[in-house]
Amino acid sequence: MSTFYYVNESTGVDSADVAGTEQAPFKTTAFAYFTKEVSTLKVYKEEGEEKGYFEISGAGLKKAKKGAESLKKKAEKLAKAKESTPVEKTVESLDFSKLKIDDSLAAPTRAKIIKSYDLKNQRVKIAGWVHRLRISKKLAFLVLRDGTGYLQAVLTGDCALAAVNLTLESSVYLYGTVKPLPEGKSAPGNVELSVDYFEVVGLAPSGADAFTNKIQENADPSLLLDQRHLALRGETLSAVMKVRACFLKNIRRFYEEESLTEITPPNMVQTQVEGGSTLFKLDYYGQEAYLTQSSQLYLETFNAALGDVFCIAESFRAEKSHTRRHLSEYTHVEAELAFIEFKDLLDHIEKLLINVVKYVLEDPIAGPLVEQLNPGFKAPEGPFIRMEYKDAITWLQEHGIKNEEDKEFVFGDDIAEAAERKMVDTIGKPILLIRFPVAIKSFYMKKCADDPRVTESVDVLMPTVGEITGGSMRIDETEELIAGFKRENIDPSSYYWFIDQRKYGTCPHGGYGLGTERILAWLCNRFTVRECVPYPRFTGRATP
């Protein structure tokens, strides 16, 4: 009879001292396989009504073996490093005495790397981190990183000799002359720094604790997430973060052009927006409160005060979902517009996506990074396809695509991610999917005047990523809103302030929410939204 070893991403610990039992499980399948060298693994899952330990799947075992191989190589590398470098280097223990600054040279200009590209034939002083390092007999080649860009540097003479003691990720000051590259050569900014002096600010460890032993290509994803603070220094992840910053900057630019005012709503609330099953509860001075699922309700209260408004804030969803497009905490871009009709809302959302993506691609830093991350990316062009929910159901039926119960789709079914993705990828163009049934949408969504079975609602679907935006017209009549509360078994007493918006000068209004990470996954061609947020939070992950 086989002995099973247990893995629980939420409660487990990856340590040689852990037994791997159901009471003391491992954290990752890679570590369990690496430690025990067996395939008899059981993994804890919570999916729908299923909850408990299940024998590892074939795909899961393949992934575990790959991760274990990476751990084995790392262990061998660490052992070898310990043998070859028994004494750790420190700045104090190294002899940089041969390095002398030449006072006869022109005083250096302090510059960021991105600015240094325009300082050709000038002497500069640049601070940064050693991103790459290659030592030859009489030369040292170094790539410096400071967050604004990368700078290729060449060290000769005493500088090259001293560079032998440098390590990756050490922080340094480089002094030297910025020189244009010879024709036929390439480097960031088309320049190269001829270094005449350098200072070590913080020497990174070598040997067992070297940066390359902490961050390895093809390592198990959970191990890389444990080292996220270091992984962020990598070229791909830092590029995504730069595109993220540019996207958020240009979202604000668009809203300024459209005369929307930014609001900073609370994150601690006592009301729900998207259903009680996904609320994170907390004790708020003895009262029950929650982390907000959406800032929509608070934004609506500002329409009468400030007109059209928006916010960029964190939202929290307690969904025990491990899909590639779900996070427990994400950056939510939300807007609420007053005195509009449904068509106005659709036109606004379409314009936002077209313009903001255009601005990002035109940005001198983010534009080339999008091309690097997602070669051949094409900006969306209007008009987007506007498809009604009922027509999507017909399309799915005609193309033989089944629902999650492996049955033919019928009106009223929620179109899950896989079917939604299949449809938009097949059509190959952005879709504004509209007029969803009342029963599968939130209590605050306005019913269509010509068909009370459906709502004035919209999901924006993009090829390769699926849904990135959802919105609707909001109920503007008190009685209809109270009926929505009743339908969802929500006590309206806590929502008195929200109901008052219909009492004191109601108006037709609507809004939407954008998932920043989903849009970035589409823009930057990332497999999962976890690659599009600095520190991803999902089931079992709240560190570092």
Side-chain angles (χ1 to χ4, degrees):
M1 186 174 179
S2 299
T3 300
F4 282 98
Y5 293 93
Y6 293 79
V7 177
N8 189 321
E9 191 174 288
S10 299
T11 62
V13 177
D14 282 343
S15 169
D17 299 327
V18 170
T21 62
E22 189 170 353
Q23 293 74 32
F26 294 111
K27 184 177 180 64
T28 65
T29 56
F31 190 87
Y33 190 88
F34 168 68
T35 304
K36 300 299 180 182
E37 296 184 343
V38 293
S39 58
T40 50
L41 303 177
K42 286 194 174 185
V43 182
Y44 186 81
K45 294 181 182 178
E46 287 189 21
E47 294 180 356
E49 295 183 358
E50 288 188 329
K51 184 177 180 180
Y53 283 99
F54 300 88
E55 194 165 347
I56 192 168
S57 65
L61 184 60
K62 186 177 180 181
K63 183 180 175 183
K65 288 179 178 178
K66 187 176 180 181
E69 185 63 30
S70 176
L71 289 175
K72 182 180 178 182
K73 289 179 180 177
K74 181 179 179 180
E76 291 172 350
K77 193 173 181 180
L78 285 173
K80 189 175 180 180
K82 286 179 180 177
E83 290 176 6
S84 61
T85 54
V87 179
E88 185 59 63
K89 296 177 182 178
T90 64
V91 174
E92 293 76 15
S93 68
L94 298 176
D95 182 13
F96 289 105
S97 60
K98 290 184 179 180
L99 281 176
K100 302 291 183 184
I101 194 162
D102 189 344
D103 293 327
S104 69
L105 297 173
T109 300
R110 281 291 302 269
K112 294 288 187 182
I113 286 175
I114 197 167
K115 299 293 185 182
S116 72
Y117 301 155
D118 295 325
L119 300 177
K120 295 179 181 67
N121 299 313
Q122 295 185 46
R123 190 164 183 260
V124 295
K125 177 183 178 182
I126 297 179
W129 290 264
V130 178
H131 188 68
R132 291 199 187 94
L133 182 64
R134 182 164 59 90
I135 309 291
S136 65
K137 290 182 179 180
K138 296 182 180 180
L139 293 173
F141 297 92
L142 180 154
V143 174
L144 194 71
R145 181 191 75 243
D146 73 348
T148 71
Y150 299 89
L151 180 64
Q152 182 172 293
V154 179
L155 293 77
T156 59
D158 290 340
C159 287
L161 293 173
V164 172
N165 295 314
L166 286 176
T167 50
L168 288 180
E169 293 304 319
S170 292
S171 51
V172 296
Y173 288 113
L174 296 186
Y175 296 69
T177 304
V178 180
K179 295 185 176 180
L181 280 180
E183 195 171 335
K185 301 282 186 178
S186 64
N190 292 314
V191 298
E192 187 173 75
L193 185 69
S194 178
V195 176
D196 56 64
Y197 179 73
F198 71 83
E199 299 173 31
V200 178
V201 179
L203 190 71
S206 58
D209 285 334
F211 186 81
T212 50
N213 287 330
K214 291 283 188 179
I215 301 294
Q216 293 182 326
E217 287 187 28
N218 301 318
D220 185 272
S222 64
L223 299 177
L224 288 176
L225 284 171
D226 287 339
Q227 303 297 328
R228 187 69 162 199
H229 57 297
L230 299 178
L232 285 166
R233 303 182 183 198
E235 291 179 27
T236 298
L237 201 48
S238 64
V240 174
M241 293 303 112
K242 287 181 181 179
V243 176
R244 177 187 173 97
C246 183
F247 171 78
L248 292 174
K249 177 180 73 175
N250 284 297
I251 276 279
R252 287 188 166 92
R253 171 184 170 183
F254 174 83
Y255 286 141
E256 184 175 353
E257 293 169 349
E258 298 295 311
S259 300
L260 274 71
T261 302
E262 185 166 9
I263 303 301
T264 52
N267 277 336
M268 292 186 289
V269 301
Q270 291 186 300
T271 51
Q272 66 184 59
V273 182
E274 301 295 341
S277 63
T278 65
L279 287 167
F280 282 108
K281 295 182 180 180
L282 57 96
D283 185 318
Y284 187 70
Y285 302 112
Q287 298 181 58
E288 189 174 85
Y290 318 103
L291 294 177
T292 187
Q293 303 160 310
S294 166
S295 297
Q296 175 206 320
L297 305 190
Y298 288 93
L299 280 182
E300 285 191 46
T301 68
F302 281 93
N303 282 151
L306 302 174
D308 298 340
V309 293
F310 77 97
C311 72
I312 300 176
E314 298 303 286
S315 285
F316 304 85
R317 302 280 173 92
E319 292 177 280
K320 292 182 178 178
S321 177
H322 284 273
T323 77
R324 60 179 178 162
R325 65 177 197 166
H326 281 92
L327 290 167
S328 297
E329 177 186 4
Y330 64 99
T331 303
H332 210 174
V333 179
E334 299 181 85
E336 292 294 321
L337 312 173
F339 292 104
I340 61 167
E341 297 178 354
F342 189 36
K343 181 181 181 303
D344 300 323
L345 178 66
L346 300 180
D347 290 344
H348 170 91
I349 293 172
E350 182 176 305
K351 184 179 180 182
L352 176 145
L353 290 170
I354 290 172
N355 284 19
V356 172
V357 171
K358 175 175 173 285
Y359 297 156
V360 170
L361 295 181
E362 289 173 347
D363 186 87
I365 294 175
L369 290 175
V370 172
E371 176 60 29
Q372 174 187 314
L373 295 163
N374 194 0
F377 173 80
K378 301 294 183 185
E381 297 179 355
F384 292 177
I385 294 171
R386 300 190 180 188
M387 177 187 287
E388 291 193 24
Y389 164 89
K390 64 181 179 62
D391 296 327
I393 293 295
T394 301
W395 190 96
L396 293 167
Q397 291 170 345
E398 290 175 347
H399 289 77
I401 298 171
K402 302 298 178 66
N403 64 18
E404 288 189 301
E405 297 176 353
D406 199 32
K407 297 178 181 177
E408 185 176 87
F409 273 98
V410 296
F411 187 92
D413 283 350
D414 192 4
I415 303 175
E417 178 190 2
E420 188 178 74
R421 283 279 305 279
K422 181 69 174 177
M423 181 177 70
V424 69
D425 287 354
T426 301
I427 293 172
K429 294 181 179 179
I431 297 173
L432 295 175
L433 190 58
I434 59 175
R435 292 167 62 100
F436 289 84
V438 172
I440 62 173
K441 284 298 181 180
S442 298
F443 68 88
Y444 52 76
M445 294 190 179
K446 188 176 180 63
K447 294 178 182 177
C448 293
D450 62 339
D451 186 353
R453 299 178 307 156
V454 297
T455 55
E456 292 187 326
S457 52
V458 57
D459 282 355
V460 181
L461 311 181
M462 284 292 177
T464 74
V465 72
E467 181 197 344
I468 59 173
T469 307
S472 76
M473 295 297 289
R474 315 310 194 190
I475 293 172
D476 52 47
E477 295 294 335
T478 303
E479 288 185 6
E480 188 180 350
L481 182 61
I482 296 298
F485 284 130
K486 185 176 181 180
R487 185 180 72 244
E488 299 296 328
N489 294 314
I490 297 172
D491 181 1
S493 61
S494 297
Y495 295 81
Y496 70 91
W497 50 275
F498 185 65
I499 297 168
D500 274 353
Q501 305 310 308
R502 283 80 185 158
K503 183 177 179 181
Y504 295 95
T506 191
C507 72
H509 62 289
Y512 55 90
L514 308 174
T516 298
E517 291 75 20
R518 288 189 185 180
I519 289 181
L520 287 169
W522 165 59
L523 259 179
C524 300
N525 192 31
R526 298 298 91 195
F527 178 75
T528 169
V529 291
R530 297 177 188 179
E531 298 177 60
C532 302
V533 61
Y535 289 93
R537 298 292 185 248
F538 52 91
T539 310
R541 169 66 61 177
T543 55

